Structure formats: structure tokens, C-alpha cells
Amino acid sequence: RLEMRNFGVKVCVIEPGYFKTMITSVENLEKNFISTWQKLPEEIKASYGEGYLRQFVAMLKVLQKSYNSNLSLVTNCMEHALTSLHPRTRYSAGWDAKLLYLPLSYLPSALSDAL
């Protein structure tokens, strides 16, 4: 963002929370993770353990239940950033971005890592 300022380009950062899209589809993610897992060397698989992938996919399935399906929250931010006379520097779309990730970004790294 700051690098582009010297060229007269104003950059707005849109930081969405989790939304239901093809990118966040657990089925697609699971298929890609399994494909990647199968290509890993055995020593790396052994380091993580067989349960790692199963636990990770199970966590994604739980998280997916809280994904927002209202993509207009993101597109409204985009529209404001593109059409406003004085756009904001940062936009947070979705309750999780506003109430979880934004406050976490202000905490010391050690504390946010623990959370």
C-alpha cells in the first residue's frame, strides 16, 4: 500500500472474514489437502502423524458452520473503496473480521498466538 503511494495510487485493503465460497468449500479443501498429503515424503508425513490431516479437516468442518453466506458484505466494501471520494485505508467485512481478527491484530504476537 505504501509502496504504491509514490506512484499516486491509493490502495485500500479489504480484509474479509470467512465466507461461503468455492475457495472455502471443505470438500474442495479436503480433496486438495489429501492430494498434497499423498505427494509428501514419508518423513514429513511421519513428523505430522496420520491424525494431523484428519483433525485439520474435522476442524474445517466445524468452522464452516460459521461461514457467512452474505457476500454483499464484501462487495459493499469493494464498492465503497472504489467509488468513495475518501475511501478508508482498511475495510473489514463480516462479524468475525470485525470482532475477532481485527482486535487480535492489535495484541502482542505472543498473546494472539496463544489465542
Side-chain angles (χ1 to χ4, degrees), residues 17-21 24-26 29 33 55-69 95-96 100-101 115:
Y18 286 108
F19 286 85
K20 288 182 185 175
T21 66
T24 60
S25 163
V26 171
L29 290 171
F33 290 146
Q55 289 174 333
F56 188 75
V57 170
M59 180 190 66
L60 285 176
K61 289 179 180 177
V62 170
L63 287 175
Q64 187 180 33
K65 294 175 185 173
S66 66
Y67 290 177
N68 196 327
S69 58
W95 68 267
D96 50 347
L100 182 63
Y101 303 115
L115 294 172

PDB file of all heavy atoms in Angstrom, residues 17-21 24-26 29 33 55-69 95-96 100-101 115:
ATOM      1  N   GLY A  17     -13.759 -11.677   6.561  1.00  0.00           N
ATOM      2  CA  GLY A  17     -13.738 -12.833   7.447  1.00  0.00           C
ATOM      3  C   GLY A  17     -13.951 -14.076   6.587  1.00  0.00           C
ATOM      4  O   GLY A  17     -13.626 -14.094   5.399  1.00  0.00           O
ATOM      5  N   TYR A  18     -14.534 -15.095   7.180  1.00  0.00           N
ATOM      6  CA  TYR A  18     -14.795 -16.331   6.437  1.00  0.00           C
ATOM      7  C   TYR A  18     -16.173 -16.265   5.797  1.00  0.00           C
ATOM      8  O   TYR A  18     -17.171 -16.020   6.457  1.00  0.00           O
ATOM      9  CB  TYR A  18     -14.704 -17.543   7.355  1.00  0.00           C
ATOM     10  CG  TYR A  18     -13.280 -17.880   7.714  1.00  0.00           C
ATOM     11  CD1 TYR A  18     -12.791 -17.637   8.983  1.00  0.00           C
ATOM     12  CD2 TYR A  18     -12.423 -18.425   6.765  1.00  0.00           C
ATOM     13  CE1 TYR A  18     -11.485 -17.930   9.309  1.00  0.00           C
ATOM     14  CE2 TYR A  18     -11.110 -18.724   7.088  1.00  0.00           C
ATOM     15  CZ  TYR A  18     -10.654 -18.478   8.359  1.00  0.00           C
ATOM     16  OH  TYR A  18      -9.359 -18.758   8.676  1.00  0.00           O
ATOM     17  N   PHE A  19     -16.210 -16.500   4.486  1.00  0.00           N
ATOM     18  CA  PHE A  19     -17.449 -16.503   3.722  1.00  0.00           C
ATOM     19  C   PHE A  19     -17.544 -17.810   2.953  1.00  0.00           C
ATOM     20  O   PHE A  19     -16.528 -18.402   2.588  1.00  0.00           O
ATOM     21  CB  PHE A  19     -17.485 -15.318   2.749  1.00  0.00           C
ATOM     22  CG  PHE A  19     -17.734 -14.010   3.423  1.00  0.00           C
ATOM     23  CD1 PHE A  19     -16.692 -13.289   3.983  1.00  0.00           C
ATOM     24  CD2 PHE A  19     -19.018 -13.505   3.514  1.00  0.00           C
ATOM     25  CE1 PHE A  19     -16.913 -12.089   4.622  1.00  0.00           C
ATOM     26  CE2 PHE A  19     -19.259 -12.297   4.158  1.00  0.00           C
ATOM     27  CZ  PHE A  19     -18.207 -11.584   4.704  1.00  0.00           C
ATOM     28  N   LYS A  20     -18.775 -18.245   2.706  1.00  0.00           N
ATOM     29  CA  LYS A  20     -19.004 -19.471   1.935  1.00  0.00           C
ATOM     30  C   LYS A  20     -18.749 -19.187   0.470  1.00  0.00           C
ATOM     31  O   LYS A  20     -19.503 -18.462  -0.174  1.00  0.00           O
ATOM     32  CB  LYS A  20     -20.436 -19.965   2.126  1.00  0.00           C
ATOM     33  CG  LYS A  20     -20.697 -20.543   3.476  1.00  0.00           C
ATOM     34  CD  LYS A  20     -22.116 -21.055   3.593  1.00  0.00           C
ATOM     35  CE  LYS A  20     -22.347 -21.503   5.022  1.00  0.00           C
ATOM     36  NZ  LYS A  20     -23.717 -21.915   5.263  1.00  0.00           N
ATOM     37  N   THR A  21     -17.655 -19.731  -0.031  1.00  0.00           N
ATOM     38  CA  THR A  21     -17.300 -19.614  -1.443  1.00  0.00           C
ATOM     39  C   THR A  21     -16.696 -20.946  -1.877  1.00  0.00           C
ATOM     40  O   THR A  21     -16.496 -21.843  -1.059  1.00  0.00           O
ATOM     41  CB  THR A  21     -16.259 -18.497  -1.679  1.00  0.00           C
ATOM     42  OG1 THR A  21     -15.032 -18.873  -1.042  1.00  0.00           O
ATOM     43  CG2 THR A  21     -16.740 -17.150  -1.160  1.00  0.00           C
ATOM     44  N   THR A  24     -13.501 -21.692   0.052  1.00  0.00           N
ATOM     45  CA  THR A  24     -13.607 -22.179   1.428  1.00  0.00           C
ATOM     46  C   THR A  24     -14.425 -23.456   1.547  1.00  0.00           C
ATOM     47  O   THR A  24     -14.693 -23.909   2.658  1.00  0.00           O
ATOM     48  CB  THR A  24     -14.236 -21.097   2.341  1.00  0.00           C
ATOM     49  OG1 THR A  24     -15.548 -20.784   1.863  1.00  0.00           O
ATOM     50  CG2 THR A  24     -13.368 -19.857   2.405  1.00  0.00           C
ATOM     51  N   SER A  25     -14.816 -24.047   0.435  1.00  0.00           N
ATOM     52  CA  SER A  25     -15.576 -25.300   0.447  1.00  0.00           C
ATOM     53  C   SER A  25     -14.730 -26.409   1.072  1.00  0.00           C
ATOM     54  O   SER A  25     -13.626 -26.709   0.602  1.00  0.00           O
ATOM     55  CB  SER A  25     -15.966 -25.680  -0.983  1.00  0.00           C
ATOM     56  OG  SER A  25     -16.347 -27.025  -1.054  1.00  0.00           O
ATOM     57  N   VAL A  26     -15.248 -27.017   2.134  1.00  0.00           N
ATOM     58  CA  VAL A  26     -14.485 -28.063   2.827  1.00  0.00           C
ATOM     59  C   VAL A  26     -14.212 -29.242   1.893  1.00  0.00           C
ATOM     60  O   VAL A  26     -13.140 -29.842   1.941  1.00  0.00           O
ATOM     61  CB  VAL A  26     -15.221 -28.537   4.107  1.00  0.00           C
ATOM     62  CG1 VAL A  26     -14.554 -29.752   4.702  1.00  0.00           C
ATOM     63  CG2 VAL A  26     -15.260 -27.420   5.126  1.00  0.00           C
ATOM     64  N   LEU A  29     -11.292 -28.188  -0.288  1.00  0.00           N
ATOM     65  CA  LEU A  29     -10.079 -28.111   0.530  1.00  0.00           C
ATOM     66  C   LEU A  29      -9.592 -29.495   0.930  1.00  0.00           C
ATOM     67  O   LEU A  29      -8.399 -29.797   0.850  1.00  0.00           O
ATOM     68  CB  LEU A  29     -10.337 -27.263   1.777  1.00  0.00           C
ATOM     69  CG  LEU A  29     -10.520 -25.772   1.542  1.00  0.00           C
ATOM     70  CD1 LEU A  29     -10.986 -25.082   2.816  1.00  0.00           C
ATOM     71  CD2 LEU A  29      -9.237 -25.148   1.033  1.00  0.00           C
ATOM     72  N   PHE A  33      -6.025 -31.013   0.115  1.00  0.00           N
ATOM     73  CA  PHE A  33      -5.127 -31.394   1.201  1.00  0.00           C
ATOM     74  C   PHE A  33      -4.708 -32.852   1.084  1.00  0.00           C
ATOM     75  O   PHE A  33      -3.537 -33.188   1.278  1.00  0.00           O
ATOM     76  CB  PHE A  33      -5.759 -31.143   2.561  1.00  0.00           C
ATOM     77  CG  PHE A  33      -5.915 -29.682   2.905  1.00  0.00           C
ATOM     78  CD1 PHE A  33      -6.994 -29.239   3.640  1.00  0.00           C
ATOM     79  CD2 PHE A  33      -4.983 -28.744   2.491  1.00  0.00           C
ATOM     80  CE1 PHE A  33      -7.144 -27.891   3.954  1.00  0.00           C
ATOM     81  CE2 PHE A  33      -5.124 -27.405   2.797  1.00  0.00           C
ATOM     82  CZ  PHE A  33      -6.208 -26.986   3.535  1.00  0.00           C
ATOM     83  N   GLN A  55      -7.643 -34.434  11.784  1.00  0.00           N
ATOM     84  CA  GLN A  55      -8.033 -33.398  12.756  1.00  0.00           C
ATOM     85  C   GLN A  55      -8.209 -32.039  12.078  1.00  0.00           C
ATOM     86  O   GLN A  55      -9.121 -31.287  12.410  1.00  0.00           O
ATOM     87  CB  GLN A  55      -6.993 -33.287  13.867  1.00  0.00           C
ATOM     88  CG  GLN A  55      -6.986 -34.463  14.807  1.00  0.00           C
ATOM     89  CD  GLN A  55      -5.829 -34.361  15.804  1.00  0.00           C
ATOM     90  OE1 GLN A  55      -4.801 -33.762  15.524  1.00  0.00           O
ATOM     91  NE2 GLN A  55      -6.017 -34.966  16.970  1.00  0.00           N
ATOM     92  N   PHE A  56      -7.344 -31.754  11.133  1.00  0.00           N
ATOM     93  CA  PHE A  56      -7.415 -30.480  10.424  1.00  0.00           C
ATOM     94  C   PHE A  56      -8.717 -30.375   9.626  1.00  0.00           C
ATOM     95  O   PHE A  56      -9.410 -29.360   9.669  1.00  0.00           O
ATOM     96  CB  PHE A  56      -6.199 -30.325   9.501  1.00  0.00           C
ATOM     97  CG  PHE A  56      -6.089 -28.962   8.889  1.00  0.00           C
ATOM     98  CD1 PHE A  56      -5.656 -27.887   9.639  1.00  0.00           C
ATOM     99  CD2 PHE A  56      -6.413 -28.760   7.567  1.00  0.00           C
ATOM    100  CE1 PHE A  56      -5.541 -26.620   9.090  1.00  0.00           C
ATOM    101  CE2 PHE A  56      -6.318 -27.489   6.998  1.00  0.00           C
ATOM    102  CZ  PHE A  56      -5.880 -26.422   7.759  1.00  0.00           C
ATOM    103  N   VAL A  57      -9.062 -31.432   8.904  1.00  0.00           N
ATOM    104  CA  VAL A  57     -10.293 -31.441   8.110  1.00  0.00           C
ATOM    105  C   VAL A  57     -11.509 -31.388   9.035  1.00  0.00           C
ATOM    106  O   VAL A  57     -12.486 -30.686   8.747  1.00  0.00           O
ATOM    107  CB  VAL A  57     -10.336 -32.670   7.173  1.00  0.00           C
ATOM    108  CG1 VAL A  57     -11.697 -32.816   6.526  1.00  0.00           C
ATOM    109  CG2 VAL A  57      -9.251 -32.547   6.105  1.00  0.00           C
ATOM    110  N   ALA A  58     -11.459 -32.085  10.160  1.00  0.00           N
ATOM    111  CA  ALA A  58     -12.573 -32.040  11.122  1.00  0.00           C
ATOM    112  C   ALA A  58     -12.760 -30.625  11.659  1.00  0.00           C
ATOM    113  O   ALA A  58     -13.897 -30.152  11.807  1.00  0.00           O
ATOM    114  CB  ALA A  58     -12.319 -33.019  12.263  1.00  0.00           C
ATOM    115  N   MET A  59     -11.661 -29.918  11.922  1.00  0.00           N
ATOM    116  CA  MET A  59     -11.739 -28.541  12.394  1.00  0.00           C
ATOM    117  C   MET A  59     -12.365 -27.642  11.325  1.00  0.00           C
ATOM    118  O   MET A  59     -13.185 -26.781  11.628  1.00  0.00           O
ATOM    119  CB  MET A  59     -10.355 -28.017  12.769  1.00  0.00           C
ATOM    120  CG  MET A  59     -10.365 -26.580  13.275  1.00  0.00           C
ATOM    121  SD  MET A  59      -8.716 -25.874  13.435  1.00  0.00           S
ATOM    122  CE  MET A  59      -8.196 -25.806  11.728  1.00  0.00           C
ATOM    123  N   LEU A  60     -11.997 -27.853  10.069  1.00  0.00           N
ATOM    124  CA  LEU A  60     -12.575 -27.070   8.975  1.00  0.00           C
ATOM    125  C   LEU A  60     -14.081 -27.272   8.886  1.00  0.00           C
ATOM    126  O   LEU A  60     -14.828 -26.329   8.640  1.00  0.00           O
ATOM    127  CB  LEU A  60     -11.935 -27.455   7.639  1.00  0.00           C
ATOM    128  CG  LEU A  60     -10.538 -26.940   7.367  1.00  0.00           C
ATOM    129  CD1 LEU A  60     -10.022 -27.497   6.050  1.00  0.00           C
ATOM    130  CD2 LEU A  60     -10.516 -25.431   7.336  1.00  0.00           C
ATOM    131  N   LYS A  61     -14.520 -28.505   9.096  1.00  0.00           N
ATOM    132  CA  LYS A  61     -15.959 -28.793   9.028  1.00  0.00           C
ATOM    133  C   LYS A  61     -16.718 -28.074  10.135  1.00  0.00           C
ATOM    134  O   LYS A  61     -17.834 -27.601   9.920  1.00  0.00           O
ATOM    135  CB  LYS A  61     -16.198 -30.299   9.092  1.00  0.00           C
ATOM    136  CG  LYS A  61     -15.769 -31.000   7.820  1.00  0.00           C
ATOM    137  CD  LYS A  61     -15.978 -32.493   7.878  1.00  0.00           C
ATOM    138  CE  LYS A  61     -15.525 -33.114   6.571  1.00  0.00           C
ATOM    139  NZ  LYS A  61     -15.622 -34.569   6.560  1.00  0.00           N
ATOM    140  N   VAL A  62     -16.111 -27.961  11.299  1.00  0.00           N
ATOM    141  CA  VAL A  62     -16.744 -27.224  12.400  1.00  0.00           C
ATOM    142  C   VAL A  62     -16.759 -25.735  12.079  1.00  0.00           C
ATOM    143  O   VAL A  62     -17.778 -25.059  12.253  1.00  0.00           O
ATOM    144  CB  VAL A  62     -16.002 -27.492  13.731  1.00  0.00           C
ATOM    145  CG1 VAL A  62     -16.473 -26.558  14.823  1.00  0.00           C
ATOM    146  CG2 VAL A  62     -16.189 -28.950  14.146  1.00  0.00           C
ATOM    147  N   LEU A  63     -15.638 -25.212  11.599  1.00  0.00           N
ATOM    148  CA  LEU A  63     -15.555 -23.785  11.269  1.00  0.00           C
ATOM    149  C   LEU A  63     -16.504 -23.397  10.144  1.00  0.00           C
ATOM    150  O   LEU A  63     -17.062 -22.293  10.149  1.00  0.00           O
ATOM    151  CB  LEU A  63     -14.128 -23.414  10.870  1.00  0.00           C
ATOM    152  CG  LEU A  63     -13.097 -23.352  11.981  1.00  0.00           C
ATOM    153  CD1 LEU A  63     -11.710 -23.097  11.403  1.00  0.00           C
ATOM    154  CD2 LEU A  63     -13.453 -22.275  12.980  1.00  0.00           C
ATOM    155  N   GLN A  64     -16.713 -24.291   9.194  1.00  0.00           N
ATOM    156  CA  GLN A  64     -17.541 -23.980   8.036  1.00  0.00           C
ATOM    157  C   GLN A  64     -18.975 -23.632   8.437  1.00  0.00           C
ATOM    158  O   GLN A  64     -19.641 -22.861   7.763  1.00  0.00           O
ATOM    159  CB  GLN A  64     -17.548 -25.142   7.042  1.00  0.00           C
ATOM    160  CG  GLN A  64     -18.264 -24.800   5.749  1.00  0.00           C
ATOM    161  CD  GLN A  64     -18.262 -25.939   4.768  1.00  0.00           C
ATOM    162  OE1 GLN A  64     -18.310 -27.095   5.141  1.00  0.00           O
ATOM    163  NE2 GLN A  64     -18.201 -25.627   3.489  1.00  0.00           N
ATOM    164  N   LYS A  65     -19.423 -24.144   9.547  1.00  0.00           N
ATOM    165  CA  LYS A  65     -20.783 -23.858  10.012  1.00  0.00           C
ATOM    166  C   LYS A  65     -20.975 -22.380  10.339  1.00  0.00           C
ATOM    167  O   LYS A  65     -22.084 -21.882  10.313  1.00  0.00           O
ATOM    168  CB  LYS A  65     -21.118 -24.724  11.223  1.00  0.00           C
ATOM    169  CG  LYS A  65     -21.184 -26.198  10.894  1.00  0.00           C
ATOM    170  CD  LYS A  65     -21.405 -27.028  12.131  1.00  0.00           C
ATOM    171  CE  LYS A  65     -21.348 -28.506  11.756  1.00  0.00           C
ATOM    172  NZ  LYS A  65     -21.401 -29.368  12.913  1.00  0.00           N
ATOM    173  N   SER A  66     -19.887 -21.687  10.652  1.00  0.00           N
ATOM    174  CA  SER A  66     -19.999 -20.273  11.000  1.00  0.00           C
ATOM    175  C   SER A  66     -19.661 -19.349   9.830  1.00  0.00           C
ATOM    176  O   SER A  66     -19.693 -18.127   9.981  1.00  0.00           O
ATOM    177  CB  SER A  66     -19.082 -19.949  12.189  1.00  0.00           C
ATOM    178  OG  SER A  66     -17.729 -20.113  11.816  1.00  0.00           O
ATOM    179  N   TYR A  67     -19.351 -19.898   8.662  1.00  0.00           N
ATOM    180  CA  TYR A  67     -19.048 -19.064   7.495  1.00  0.00           C
ATOM    181  C   TYR A  67     -20.270 -18.266   7.102  1.00  0.00           C
ATOM    182  O   TYR A  67     -21.396 -18.741   7.154  1.00  0.00           O
ATOM    183  CB  TYR A  67     -18.619 -19.914   6.305  1.00  0.00           C
ATOM    184  CG  TYR A  67     -17.272 -20.582   6.418  1.00  0.00           C
ATOM    185  CD1 TYR A  67     -16.820 -21.416   5.416  1.00  0.00           C
ATOM    186  CD2 TYR A  67     -16.452 -20.407   7.513  1.00  0.00           C
ATOM    187  CE1 TYR A  67     -15.591 -22.045   5.494  1.00  0.00           C
ATOM    188  CE2 TYR A  67     -15.220 -21.035   7.602  1.00  0.00           C
ATOM    189  CZ  TYR A  67     -14.804 -21.848   6.583  1.00  0.00           C
ATOM    190  OH  TYR A  67     -13.597 -22.470   6.660  1.00  0.00           O
ATOM    191  N   ASN A  68     -20.057 -17.051   6.679  1.00  0.00           N
ATOM    192  CA  ASN A  68     -21.134 -16.155   6.275  1.00  0.00           C
ATOM    193  C   ASN A  68     -21.442 -16.377   4.793  1.00  0.00           C
ATOM    194  O   ASN A  68     -20.524 -16.477   3.976  1.00  0.00           O
ATOM    195  CB  ASN A  68     -20.704 -14.707   6.524  1.00  0.00           C
ATOM    196  CG  ASN A  68     -21.837 -13.743   6.506  1.00  0.00           C
ATOM    197  OD1 ASN A  68     -22.815 -13.912   5.784  1.00  0.00           O
ATOM    198  ND2 ASN A  68     -21.714 -12.698   7.300  1.00  0.00           N
ATOM    199  N   SER A  69     -22.698 -16.434   4.436  1.00  0.00           N
ATOM    200  CA  SER A  69     -23.064 -16.628   3.029  1.00  0.00           C
ATOM    201  C   SER A  69     -23.439 -15.310   2.348  1.00  0.00           C
ATOM    202  O   SER A  69     -23.677 -15.278   1.144  1.00  0.00           O
ATOM    203  CB  SER A  69     -24.221 -17.618   2.915  1.00  0.00           C
ATOM    204  OG  SER A  69     -25.330 -17.153   3.640  1.00  0.00           O
ATOM    205  N   TRP A  95     -18.640 -10.360  10.588  1.00  0.00           N
ATOM    206  CA  TRP A  95     -18.554 -10.214  12.045  1.00  0.00           C
ATOM    207  C   TRP A  95     -17.235 -10.757  12.581  1.00  0.00           C
ATOM    208  O   TRP A  95     -16.663 -10.176  13.489  1.00  0.00           O
ATOM    209  CB  TRP A  95     -19.734 -10.918  12.733  1.00  0.00           C
ATOM    210  CG  TRP A  95     -19.700 -12.401  12.617  1.00  0.00           C
ATOM    211  CD1 TRP A  95     -20.297 -13.176  11.664  1.00  0.00           C
ATOM    212  CD2 TRP A  95     -18.996 -13.308  13.473  1.00  0.00           C
ATOM    213  NE1 TRP A  95     -20.001 -14.501  11.860  1.00  0.00           N
ATOM    214  CE2 TRP A  95     -19.209 -14.616  12.969  1.00  0.00           C
ATOM    215  CE3 TRP A  95     -18.211 -13.147  14.612  1.00  0.00           C
ATOM    216  CZ2 TRP A  95     -18.661 -15.740  13.568  1.00  0.00           C
ATOM    217  CZ3 TRP A  95     -17.661 -14.280  15.198  1.00  0.00           C
ATOM    218  CH2 TRP A  95     -17.899 -15.549  14.680  1.00  0.00           C
ATOM    219  N   ASP A  96     -16.740 -11.851  12.010  1.00  0.00           N
ATOM    220  CA  ASP A  96     -15.503 -12.435  12.526  1.00  0.00           C
ATOM    221  C   ASP A  96     -14.305 -11.529  12.257  1.00  0.00           C
ATOM    222  O   ASP A  96     -13.416 -11.404  13.089  1.00  0.00           O
ATOM    223  CB  ASP A  96     -15.264 -13.841  11.972  1.00  0.00           C
ATOM    224  CG  ASP A  96     -15.400 -13.933  10.460  1.00  0.00           C
ATOM    225  OD1 ASP A  96     -15.922 -12.990   9.838  1.00  0.00           O
ATOM    226  OD2 ASP A  96     -15.001 -14.967   9.904  1.00  0.00           O
ATOM    227  N   LEU A 100     -13.146 -10.435  15.810  1.00  0.00           N
ATOM    228  CA  LEU A 100     -12.111 -11.394  16.190  1.00  0.00           C
ATOM    229  C   LEU A 100     -10.750 -11.023  15.613  1.00  0.00           C
ATOM    230  O   LEU A 100      -9.813 -10.752  16.343  1.00  0.00           O
ATOM    231  CB  LEU A 100     -12.516 -12.809  15.752  1.00  0.00           C
ATOM    232  CG  LEU A 100     -11.546 -13.917  16.121  1.00  0.00           C
ATOM    233  CD1 LEU A 100     -11.409 -14.055  17.630  1.00  0.00           C
ATOM    234  CD2 LEU A 100     -11.993 -15.235  15.517  1.00  0.00           C
ATOM    235  N   TYR A 101     -10.656 -10.973  14.302  1.00  0.00           N
ATOM    236  CA  TYR A 101      -9.350 -10.800  13.673  1.00  0.00           C
ATOM    237  C   TYR A 101      -8.793  -9.384  13.815  1.00  0.00           C
ATOM    238  O   TYR A 101      -7.598  -9.209  14.013  1.00  0.00           O
ATOM    239  CB  TYR A 101      -9.401 -11.218  12.195  1.00  0.00           C
ATOM    240  CG  TYR A 101      -9.859 -12.637  12.056  1.00  0.00           C
ATOM    241  CD1 TYR A 101     -11.046 -12.958  11.433  1.00  0.00           C
ATOM    242  CD2 TYR A 101      -9.114 -13.667  12.611  1.00  0.00           C
ATOM    243  CE1 TYR A 101     -11.474 -14.274  11.340  1.00  0.00           C
ATOM    244  CE2 TYR A 101      -9.536 -14.974  12.536  1.00  0.00           C
ATOM    245  CZ  TYR A 101     -10.715 -15.274  11.890  1.00  0.00           C
ATOM    246  OH  TYR A 101     -11.140 -16.560  11.809  1.00  0.00           O
ATOM    247  N   LEU A 115      -3.975 -17.337  21.678  1.00  0.00           N
ATOM    248  CA  LEU A 115      -5.419 -17.373  21.447  1.00  0.00           C
ATOM    249  C   LEU A 115      -5.742 -18.127  20.177  1.00  0.00           C
ATOM    250  O   LEU A 115      -6.728 -18.798  20.069  1.00  0.00           O
ATOM    251  CB  LEU A 115      -5.992 -15.952  21.363  1.00  0.00           C
ATOM    252  CG  LEU A 115      -5.912 -15.166  22.667  1.00  0.00           C
ATOM    253  CD1 LEU A 115      -6.334 -13.716  22.418  1.00  0.00           C
ATOM    254  CD2 LEU A 115      -6.814 -15.778  23.706  1.00  0.00           C
TER     255      LEU A 115
END
